[in-house]
Protein backbone atom coordinates (compact mmCIF):
# COMPACT_ATOMS: atom_id res chain seq x y z
CA UNK A 1 0.00 0.00 0.00
CA UNK A 2 1.38 3.38 -0.95
CA UNK A 3 0.19 6.82 0.02
CA UNK A 4 0.17 7.91 -3.62
CA UNK A 5 -1.48 4.82 -5.10
CA UNK A 6 -5.16 4.36 -5.76
CA UNK A 7 -7.51 4.28 -2.82
CA UNK A 8 -9.38 0.96 -3.02
CA UNK A 9 -11.14 -1.69 -0.95
CA UNK A 10 -8.08 -2.45 1.22
CA UNK A 11 -7.69 1.18 2.21
CA UNK A 12 -11.42 1.48 2.83
CA UNK A 13 -11.30 -1.46 5.25
CA UNK A 14 -8.54 0.39 7.10
CA UNK A 15 -10.86 3.41 7.41
CA UNK A 16 -13.53 1.17 8.96
CA UNK A 17 -10.95 -0.27 11.35
CA UNK A 18 -9.59 3.14 12.33
CA UNK A 19 -12.94 4.16 13.81
CA UNK A 20 -13.36 0.78 15.52
CA UNK A 21 -9.96 1.13 17.23
CA UNK A 22 -11.51 3.52 19.76
CA UNK A 23 -13.56 0.62 21.16
CA UNK A 24 -11.66 -2.55 20.22
CA UNK A 25 -7.94 -1.79 19.72
CA UNK A 26 -6.87 -5.44 20.13
CA UNK A 27 -9.33 -6.71 17.50
CA UNK A 28 -8.28 -3.90 15.17
CA UNK A 29 -4.59 -4.74 15.62
CA UNK A 30 -5.32 -8.40 14.80
CA UNK A 31 -7.34 -7.42 11.71
CA UNK A 32 -4.68 -4.95 10.57
CA UNK A 33 -2.01 -7.65 10.82
CA UNK A 34 -4.29 -10.05 8.91
CA UNK A 35 -4.46 -7.44 6.15
CA UNK A 36 -0.66 -7.08 6.25
CA UNK A 37 -0.55 -3.34 6.97
CA UNK A 38 1.15 -1.24 9.60
CA UNK A 39 -0.42 1.17 12.04
CA UNK A 40 1.03 4.09 10.10
CA UNK A 41 -0.50 2.75 6.87
CA UNK A 42 -3.88 2.56 8.60
CA UNK A 43 -3.51 6.15 9.77
CA UNK A 44 -2.48 7.27 6.29
CA UNK A 45 -5.51 5.56 4.72
CA UNK A 46 -7.76 7.35 7.20
CA UNK A 47 -6.04 10.68 6.49
CA UNK A 48 -6.57 10.22 2.75
CA UNK A 49 -10.22 9.24 3.27
CA UNK A 50 -10.87 12.31 5.43
CA UNK A 51 -9.24 14.49 2.77
CA UNK A 52 -11.59 13.01 0.14
CA UNK A 53 -14.63 13.52 2.36
CA UNK A 54 -13.72 17.12 3.19
CA UNK A 55 -12.46 18.22 -0.23
CA UNK A 56 -14.29 21.43 -1.22
CA UNK A 57 -14.89 20.20 -4.76
CA UNK A 58 -14.81 16.51 -3.93
CA UNK A 59 -17.13 13.86 -5.18
CA UNK A 60 -20.49 13.24 -3.56
CA UNK A 61 -20.69 10.35 -1.10
CA UNK A 62 -22.14 7.84 -3.58
CA UNK A 63 -19.57 8.72 -6.27
CA UNK A 64 -16.81 8.40 -3.68
CA UNK A 65 -17.95 4.91 -2.66
CA UNK A 66 -18.22 3.80 -6.28
CA UNK A 67 -14.73 5.13 -7.07
CA UNK A 68 -13.21 3.39 -4.04
CA UNK A 69 -15.20 0.14 -3.97
CA UNK A 70 -16.15 -0.27 -7.64
CA UNK A 71 -19.58 -1.34 -8.80
CA UNK A 72 -21.79 -2.74 -6.02
CA UNK A 73 -22.23 -6.48 -5.76
CA UNK A 74 -25.96 -5.99 -5.38
CA UNK A 75 -28.43 -3.11 -5.78
CA UNK A 76 -32.11 -3.23 -4.83
CA UNK A 77 -35.01 -1.01 -3.71
CA UNK A 78 -35.96 -0.92 -0.05
CA UNK A 79 -38.80 0.85 1.71
CA UNK A 80 -37.85 2.70 4.87
CA UNK A 81 -41.15 3.88 6.25
CA UNK A 82 -42.76 5.85 3.41
CA UNK A 83 -39.43 6.46 1.67
CA UNK A 84 -38.21 4.25 -1.19
CA UNK A 85 -34.41 4.00 -1.19
CA UNK A 86 -31.81 2.20 -3.24
CA UNK A 87 -29.60 -0.14 -1.22
CA UNK A 88 -26.14 -0.77 -2.67
CA UNK A 89 -24.01 -3.57 -1.20
CA UNK A 90 -20.27 -4.19 -1.50
CA UNK A 91 -18.26 -7.14 -0.13
CA UNK A 92 -15.82 -6.48 2.69
CA UNK A 93 -13.12 -9.19 2.57
CA UNK A 94 -12.18 -8.74 6.23
CA UNK A 95 -15.74 -9.74 7.20
CA UNK A 96 -16.93 -12.21 4.52
CA UNK A 97 -20.39 -12.57 6.08
CA UNK A 98 -21.01 -8.82 5.97
CA UNK A 99 -21.55 -6.24 3.25
CA UNK A 100 -21.02 -2.50 3.29
CA UNK A 101 -24.45 -1.01 2.59
CA UNK A 102 -25.11 2.48 1.29
CA UNK A 103 -28.72 3.65 1.32
CA UNK A 104 -29.48 6.26 -1.33
CA UNK A 105 -32.61 8.40 -1.10
CA UNK A 106 -34.50 9.67 -4.15
CA UNK A 107 -32.41 12.41 -5.69
CA UNK A 108 -29.12 10.61 -4.97
CA UNK A 109 -28.36 11.71 -1.39
CA UNK A 110 -26.66 9.05 0.75
CA UNK A 111 -28.94 8.48 3.70
CA UNK A 112 -27.08 5.74 5.58
CA UNK A 113 -23.81 3.83 5.31
CA UNK A 114 -22.88 0.83 7.44
CA UNK A 115 -22.12 -2.87 7.65
CA UNK A 116 -25.01 -5.32 7.32
CA UNK A 117 -25.28 -9.10 7.13
CA UNK A 118 -24.76 -10.38 3.58
CA UNK A 119 -27.97 -11.61 1.90
CA UNK A 120 -28.29 -15.33 2.49
CA UNK A 121 -25.46 -15.43 5.07
CA UNK A 122 -26.33 -17.04 8.38
CA UNK A 123 -26.12 -14.43 11.09
CA UNK A 124 -25.90 -14.85 14.83
CA UNK A 125 -29.02 -15.34 16.87
CA UNK A 126 -28.17 -13.68 20.17
CA UNK A 127 -30.42 -14.76 23.02
CA UNK A 128 -28.51 -13.58 26.09
CA UNK A 129 -26.21 -10.72 27.01
CA UNK A 130 -23.25 -13.13 26.80
CA UNK A 131 -24.00 -13.56 23.08
CA UNK A 132 -23.23 -9.89 22.46
CA UNK A 133 -19.53 -10.15 21.67
CA UNK A 134 -17.61 -7.43 19.82
CA UNK A 135 -17.92 -7.63 16.02
CA UNK A 136 -20.50 -10.45 16.26
CA UNK A 137 -23.71 -8.57 15.40
CA UNK A 138 -25.07 -5.73 13.32
CA UNK A 139 -27.50 -3.08 14.53
CA UNK A 140 -30.44 -4.89 12.95
CA UNK A 141 -29.50 -8.23 14.54
CA UNK A 142 -29.35 -6.78 18.06
CA UNK A 143 -32.58 -4.82 17.54
CA UNK A 144 -34.46 -7.95 16.39
CA UNK A 145 -33.03 -10.13 19.17
CA UNK A 146 -33.83 -7.78 22.06
CA UNK A 147 -37.01 -5.80 21.45
CA UNK A 148 -38.02 -3.20 22.11
CA UNK A 149 -34.90 -1.48 20.84
CA UNK A 150 -34.48 2.25 20.40
CA UNK A 151 -31.77 3.88 18.24
CA UNK A 152 -29.81 6.66 19.90
CA UNK A 153 -27.33 9.14 18.51
CA UNK A 154 -23.71 8.04 18.65
CA UNK A 155 -20.65 10.13 19.40
CA UNK A 156 -19.57 10.45 15.73
CA UNK A 157 -21.19 10.20 12.30
CA UNK A 158 -20.11 6.56 11.91
CA UNK A 159 -21.40 5.57 15.35
CA UNK A 160 -24.79 4.57 16.65
CA UNK A 161 -26.07 3.51 20.04
CA UNK A 162 -29.00 1.18 20.56
CA UNK A 163 -30.97 0.90 23.82
CA UNK A 164 -32.47 -2.58 24.19
CA UNK A 165 -34.25 -4.86 26.63
CA UNK A 166 -32.74 -8.13 27.85
CA UNK A 167 -34.83 -11.28 28.29
CA UNK A 168 -36.03 -11.66 31.86
CA UNK A 169 -35.53 -7.98 32.62
CA UNK A 170 -32.63 -5.64 32.52
CA UNK A 171 -31.60 -3.27 29.81
CA UNK A 172 -28.54 -2.37 27.84
CA UNK A 173 -27.02 0.12 25.48
CA UNK A 174 -24.97 -1.25 22.61
CA UNK A 175 -22.29 0.79 20.84
CA UNK A 176 -21.86 0.30 17.09
CA UNK A 177 -19.27 1.66 14.69
CA UNK A 178 -20.13 1.48 10.99
CA UNK A 179 -23.09 -0.71 12.07
CA UNK A 180 -20.99 -3.41 13.75
CA UNK A 181 -21.28 -4.11 17.50
CA UNK A 182 -18.28 -2.85 19.46
CA UNK A 183 -19.40 -3.16 23.09
CA UNK A 184 -22.40 -2.87 25.34
CA UNK A 185 -23.17 -1.96 28.92
CA UNK A 186 -26.18 -2.37 31.13
CA UNK A 187 -27.89 -4.41 33.78
CA UNK A 188 -28.63 -8.12 33.51
Amino acid sequence: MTSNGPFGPLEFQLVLLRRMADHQPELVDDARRELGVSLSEMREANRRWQAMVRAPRGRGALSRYRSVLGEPELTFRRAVGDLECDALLWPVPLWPGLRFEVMVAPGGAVWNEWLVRAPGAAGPEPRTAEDLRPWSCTVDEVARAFPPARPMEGGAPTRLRLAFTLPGGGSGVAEFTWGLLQEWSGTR
Side-chain angles (χ1 to χ4, degrees), residues 55-146:
R57 288 183 280 281
R59 301 174 184 174
L62 182 56
S63 294
R64 186 173 47 254
Y65 285 121
R66 284 183 184 274
S67 74
V68 168
L69 300 172
E71 285 303 308
E73 174 183 78
L74 182 63
T75 301
F76 57 93
R77 300 285 286 168
R78 179 183 294 158
V80 180
D82 293 338
L83 183 64
E84 284 278 325
C85 294
D86 288 323
L88 291 77
L89 301 177
W90 285 271
V92 185
L94 190 56
W95 295 286
L98 300 177
R99 295 296 179 265
F100 188 74
E101 177 185 74
V102 174
M103 297 289 290
V104 182
V110 169
W111 178 67
N112 195 27
E113 49 212 320
W114 61 5
L115 294 164
V116 297
R117 189 68 47 196
E125 295 183 20
R127 300 197 190 300
T128 68
E130 288 73 30
D131 295 334
L132 296 177
R133 293 178 316 282
W135 295 13
S136 66
C137 302
T138 64
V139 172
D140 186 53
E141 291 163 343
V142 174
R144 276 183 304 178
F146 303 108

Side-chain angles (χ1 to χ4, degrees), residues 1 10 14 31-42:
M1 186 178 106
L10 171 63
L14 296 175
R32 186 179 46 74
R33 282 191 286 277
E34 182 180 325
L35 293 172
V37 297
S38 69
L39 182 58
S40 64
E41 289 172 315
M42 183 173 78

